[in-house]
Amino acid sequence: GAVVSQHPSWVICKSGTSVKIECRSLDFQATTMFWYRQFPKQSLMLMATSNEGSKATYEQGVEKDKFLINHASLTLSTLTVTSAHPEDSSFYICSARKTSSNEQFFGPGTRLTVL
Amino acid sequence: QQQVKQSPQSLIVQKGGISIINCAYENTAFDYFPWYQQFPGKGPALLIAIRPDVSEKKEGRFTISFNKSAKQFSLHIMDSQPGDSATYFCAARVPGNNRKLIWGLGTSLAVNP
């Protein structure tokens, strides 16, 4: 067990539009989910930590009004990139932590390209 | 103090050889040290992890050596195979409610056949 899915796996959108990415824990409940972005050949950069039923905690430098995070249930968190611009093009990865575990399980990532 | 320094940035090893990747940290409050493997276009996958009260952990061909006094830990891949070619990240966990990870910059490993 401990499978995390992301949808979509890739998306291309026009500048100025909004894009929603879903992260689901398929076979476990996740109290906490994390959202990362990763540029080519770079490390993962934590954007925000999402706890079910409460507001997300954003890392320094991440605009909360631009990257909207909703964690409405123990198995689903969403990241919405609002008014996307080409510089938002990146690989977005979510992870989920089991309620009773120390380990983070990662999704397969979503490739966002903003034209 | 929240940084995790990883080296080398890239590594080339012959098939059957030993791959060694090193990480160093400053924050003695970190309570969990995982290693992740990532293939291009995929999310990271946990390879092996260790707690600071253990000096070594081995799982198959993968071993973590942990030196608490030196604040260093390393990943050893024995009998390296071409299929091990990937990017490896070390990380350290911040204790607390959210338990977020602080990541190293990654090591690109290429195992030549």
Side-chain angles (χ1 to χ4, degrees):
Chain A
V3 179
V4 176
S5 70
Q6 280 184 242
H7 178 79
S9 56
W10 59 271
V11 57
I12 301 173
C13 70
K14 292 183 179 180
S15 185
T17 60
S18 295
V19 174
K20 180 185 283 188
I21 302 170
E22 290 186 350
C23 177
R24 292 182 186 272
S25 56
L26 298 185
D27 51 2
F28 66 97
Q29 292 187 330
T31 307
T32 306
M33 288 185 171
F34 302 86
W35 286 97
Y36 297 85
R37 66 186 299 181
Q38 186 180 34
F39 293 106
K41 299 189 185 300
Q42 293 191 21
S43 189
L44 282 75
M45 185 194 83
L46 180 65
M47 299 175 66
T49 303
S50 165
N51 287 297
E52 185 264 339
S54 61
K55 290 184 179 180
T57 301
Y58 289 82
E59 295 298 303
Q60 192 173 6
V62 177
E63 299 175 58
K64 63 180 181 181
D65 294 331
K66 180 168 183 61
F67 299 100
L68 300 178
I69 292 173
N70 183 279
H71 192 161
S73 78
L74 285 172
T75 59
L76 173 65
S77 177
T78 61
L79 168 68
T80 301
V81 183
T82 61
S83 186
H85 288 93
E87 57 265 31
D88 298 324
S89 298
S90 188
F91 193 51
Y92 291 87
I93 308 171
C94 73
S95 71
R97 183 173 67 83
K98 283 185 178 180
T99 303
S100 58
S101 170
N102 298 315
E103 193 176 327
Q104 287 186 32
F105 299 92
F106 284 81
T110 296
R111 173 75 58 194
L112 170 63
T113 302
V114 184
L115 301 177
Chain B
Q1 201 181 25
Q2 289 286 70
Q3 285 183 325
V4 176
K5 296 182 180 179
Q6 184 173 346
S7 63
Q9 188 175 6
S10 62
L11 182 61
I12 300 174
V13 173
Q14 292 299 118
K15 179 182 176 182
I18 303 174
S19 304
I20 302 175
I21 305 171
N22 301 297
C23 285
Y25 65 97
E26 287 296 324
N27 187 350
T28 55
F30 290 147
D31 63 356
Y32 176 73
F33 300 86
W35 284 91
Y36 287 88
Q37 179 189 57
Q38 185 180 30
F39 293 104
K42 305 293 183 184
L46 179 67
L47 201 58
I48 187 172
I50 200 168
R51 295 183 183 279
D53 55 350
V54 177
S55 61
E56 184 175 281
K57 184 175 182 180
K58 183 176 181 180
E59 290 183 359
R61 295 186 294 112
F62 303 95
T63 301
I64 299 179
S65 296
F66 189 86
N67 187 329
K68 190 173 182 178
S69 60
K71 292 184 281 188
Q72 296 175 347
F73 58 110
S74 60
L75 174 70
H76 291 62
I77 304 175
M78 311 300 286
D79 187 26
S80 299
Q81 299 296 313
D84 296 331
S85 299
T87 301
Y88 292 81
F89 294 96
C90 64
R93 191 180 67 188
V94 179
N97 289 336
N98 289 331
R99 305 181 195 176
K100 70 179 183 181
L101 293 175
I102 306 299
W103 294 76
L105 294 182
T107 296
S108 177
L109 171 65
V111 181
N112 290 333

